[in-house]
Amino acid sequence: MNPYVLTTLLASLGLGTTLTFASSHWLLAWMGLEINTLAIIPLMTQHHHPRAVEATTKYFLTQATAAAIILFASTTNAWISGEWYMTSMSNPIATAMILAALALKIGLAPMHFWMPEVLQGLDLSTGLILSTWQKLAPLALIIQTAPAFHPLLLTTLGLMSALVGGWGGLNQTQLRKILAYSSIAHMGWMIIVLQHAPQLTLLTLLTYILMTSAAFLTLKLSYTTKISTLATTWSKSPLLTATTLLVLLSLGGLPPLTGFMPKWLILQEMVKQDLPLTATVMALTALISLYFYLGLCYTMTLTISPNTITSTTPWGIQTNQASTPLALSTVLALGLLPITPTIMM
């Protein structure tokens, strides 16, 4: 893609998200979301592959539907209350519609069906933008309007997403689909704690972005999109395989790694709020997710790929990707647990 065009599109992505962050008026927020959607579409179709075009069409239709619902609901609210501001959401129907539309935007269950399909059709760098940057604007709107939402609705969305994210990933062989289900599960963790401690939602979002970036950049470096090709990576770059193993376990939320911190604090907060049953269900869904991360780790480190291929296996990976972002995100995805006391202060 032409570097000028690419720069314009990335700047528009940034502008759309920033506009939504800065707005307290529904029309401005809607405009930011639309700019965001329109800016990522050329990035998604840049390879002109039928799968990419299909994924882009699905993405465009879901995002346009969500944006239309947001516009309709905010207009309805303004019509009834005379206020366009996000803080004055008085109509329960409009509020529920806005939550449904924003859930569709970020792929919360049961509005998650587009997410694995779309991510599967994209290349890994666009997939990374879709899994991280594109979640920021809708999540900012959800956090801003959270006091207006019914607590039971948020809890249901969070539980369903965590369950679907774990359950859906179990049977997958494609790594991008596994990462999509992982994204759905993490969104569930963010939403469930939103009504009790919004700062924990932001912390979970930050750790999720670090871990997902590390996972996507690693897969991009080793040109891996299927579980079966993971089995060949240990011979090409043993050190990268070891760090990938740890990043996956961090995504699963195992103790000495960064991914454990948000899950631990969220469960602690839910027990404090006298919701032990919800906390137990969330911990069990985390176990389901951990199962497929462990499956990936097993394939990567403990299996040898079938040696019936006629071509020679390359030793070492040929790549022109900058290694600094990967190194940085990997270190942060593995080693941030010791700063937990500072964060809790």
Side-chain angles (χ1 to χ4, degrees):
M1 187 180 267
N2 185 321
Y4 296 119
V5 175
L6 187 62
T7 310
T8 310
L9 291 173
L10 291 175
S12 303
L13 267 181
L15 171 74
T17 305
T18 314
L19 194 61
T20 307
F21 280 171
S23 60
S24 56
H25 192 287
W26 275 116
L27 268 183
L28 263 180
W30 170 80
M31 212 178 294
L33 292 171
E34 284 296 278
I35 292 172
N36 221 341
T37 304
L38 292 175
I40 200 174
I41 280 172
L43 292 174
M44 292 167 92
T45 48
Q46 62 183 324
H47 292 296
H48 303 296
H49 190 274
R51 279 306 299 265
V53 175
E54 181 194 340
T56 310
T57 310
K58 286 175 179 171
Y59 181 74
F60 175 73
L61 290 174
T62 51
Q63 299 298 306
T65 307
I69 295 172
I70 288 172
L71 197 56
F72 176 66
S74 52
T75 312
T76 309
N77 187 64
W79 183 38
I80 291 167
S81 67
E83 289 277 353
W84 276 101
Y85 292 105
M86 291 175 195
T87 44
S88 55
M89 294 293 295
S90 52
N91 186 357
I93 297 174
T95 311
M97 281 173 72
I98 282 200
L99 180 58
L102 291 171
L104 179 62
K105 280 252 175 217
I106 58 172
L108 278 172
M111 279 76 84
H112 67 283
F113 293 100
W114 62 271
M115 180 87 190
E117 296 299 324
V118 167
L119 208 57
Q120 179 55 32
L122 304 179
D123 66 316
L124 290 164
S125 33
T126 318
L128 174 59
I129 296 174
L130 186 71
S131 304
T132 53
W133 186 259
Q134 292 297 88
K135 306 277 188 214
L136 297 179
L139 261 173
L141 293 181
I142 292 178
I143 291 168
Q144 270 179 288
T145 46
F149 299 138
H150 196 286
L152 187 65
L153 206 56
L154 288 174
T155 308
T156 310
L157 278 175
L159 279 173
M160 277 188 76
S161 300
L163 198 60
V164 163
W167 206 256
L170 287 178
N171 209 15
Q172 300 300 332
T173 55
Q174 298 285 343
L175 294 173
R176 283 167 294 188
K177 279 195 176 180
I178 287 179
L179 285 167
Y181 280 110
S182 145
S183 169
I184 294 165
H186 279 91
M187 290 296 142
W189 281 88
M190 288 173 216
I191 293 299
I192 199 129
V193 80
L194 180 57
Q195 54 207 335
H196 309 301
Q199 65 276 19
L200 280 184
T201 300
L202 291 173
L203 175 69
T204 313
L205 177 64
L206 182 68
T207 51
Y208 159 76
I209 287 174
L210 290 173
M211 295 183 296
T212 307
S213 304
F216 268 102
L217 291 170
T218 308
L219 297 179
K220 186 168 177 266
L221 188 75
S222 54
Y223 300 107
T224 319
T225 53
K226 289 203 292 288
I227 290 187
S228 51
T229 39
L230 268 185
T232 61
T233 50
W234 65 270
S235 61
K236 297 177 194 171
S237 53
L239 196 62
L240 186 69
T241 306
T243 54
T244 312
L245 167 87
L246 292 171
V247 166
L248 288 169
L249 292 177
S250 184
L251 270 167
L254 279 189
L257 306 165
T258 306
F260 176 61
M261 172 175 45
K263 288 192 164 81
W264 169 33
L265 294 175
I266 287 171
L267 291 177
Q268 188 182 325
E269 180 63 36
M270 294 183 80
V271 173
K272 267 188 208 163
Q273 296 288 345
D274 210 19
L275 297 164
L277 189 65
T278 318
T280 310
V281 175
M282 287 305 279
L284 290 172
T285 59
L287 276 179
I288 304 175
S289 295
L290 186 62
Y291 177 80
F292 64 76
Y293 293 124
L294 281 173
L296 289 181
C297 297
Y298 171 75
T299 310
M300 224 172 164
T301 53
L302 299 171
T303 55
I304 297 177
S305 62
N307 294 324
T308 50
I309 44 175
T310 48
S311 60
T312 54
T313 310
W315 287 86
I317 296 169
Q318 302 298 317
T319 180
N320 54 4
Q321 182 186 324
S323 55
T324 317
L326 172 60
L328 197 63
S329 58
T330 303
V331 169
L332 293 173
L334 300 184
L336 287 186
L337 189 65
I339 67 162
T340 310
T342 319
I343 288 170
M344 288 173 78
M345 291 297 283

